[in-house]
């Protein structure tokens, strides 16, 4: 997977963890949890949008729109995890084939 996608996943996870713990979603805390710089969060529009979306979401989490946004973000996070699992499964299949067919 590309590093950009990995960073996006880490930022989404950090935001979701903060929100689930009832803590404020701040750029500093998200950067620390996602292990990327605050500058990167501010400069990359996709990452900044995720943080700002979670910050806004905290304000209207109990509205239907807020819940809809949360469900969408959970769906995207689950899809990212599923893609990663598929990637690892394929890698395991290739390793198994290589193990069974020595000499290639």
């Amino acid at each position: 997977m590309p590093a950009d996608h990995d960073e996006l996943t880490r930022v989404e996870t950090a935001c979701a963890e903060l929100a689930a713990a009832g803590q404020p979603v701040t750029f500093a805390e998200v950067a620390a949890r996602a292990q990327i710089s605050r500058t990167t969060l501010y400069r990359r529009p996709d990452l900044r949008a995720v943080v700002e979306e979670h910050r806004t979401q905290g304000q209207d989490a109990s509205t239907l729109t807020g819940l809809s946004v949360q469900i969408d973000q959970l769906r995207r996070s689950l899809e990212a995890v599923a893609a990663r699992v598929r990637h690892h499964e394929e890698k395991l299949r290739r390793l198994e084939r290589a193990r069974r067919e020595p000499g290639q």
Side-chain angles (χ1 to χ4, degrees), residues 46-67:
D46 57 335
L47 300 180
R48 185 179 184 132
V50 169
V51 175
E52 289 177 348
E53 188 174 328
H54 274 86
R55 291 177 83 171
T56 301
Q57 185 183 113
Q59 297 166 355
D60 67 349
S62 62
T63 66
L64 287 178
T65 301
L67 292 173

Side-chain angles (χ1 to χ4, degrees), residues 56-104:
T56 301
Q57 185 183 113
Q59 297 166 355
D60 67 349
S62 62
T63 66
L64 287 178
T65 301
L67 292 173
S68 175
V69 168
Q70 285 180 348
I71 289 169
D72 186 53
Q73 288 173 340
L74 288 171
R75 181 188 51 76
R76 284 184 290 161
S77 295
L78 183 59
E79 287 172 352
V81 169
R84 195 156 187 109
V85 167
R86 283 190 299 274
H87 170 76
H88 288 294
E89 287 175 340
E90 179 58 32
K91 196 172 190 176
L92 285 170
R93 280 192 291 275
R94 284 190 305 245
L95 288 170
E96 279 294 318
R97 276 192 299 257
R99 187 175 64 85
R100 281 183 286 196
E101 301 169 5
Q104 285 188 353

Side-chain angles (χ1 to χ4, degrees), residues 36-52:
I36 59 176
S37 70
R38 280 188 300 165
T39 302
T40 300
L41 283 180
Y42 284 112
R43 288 187 179 166
R44 284 208 21 216
D46 57 335
L47 300 180
R48 185 179 184 132
V50 169
V51 175
E52 289 177 348

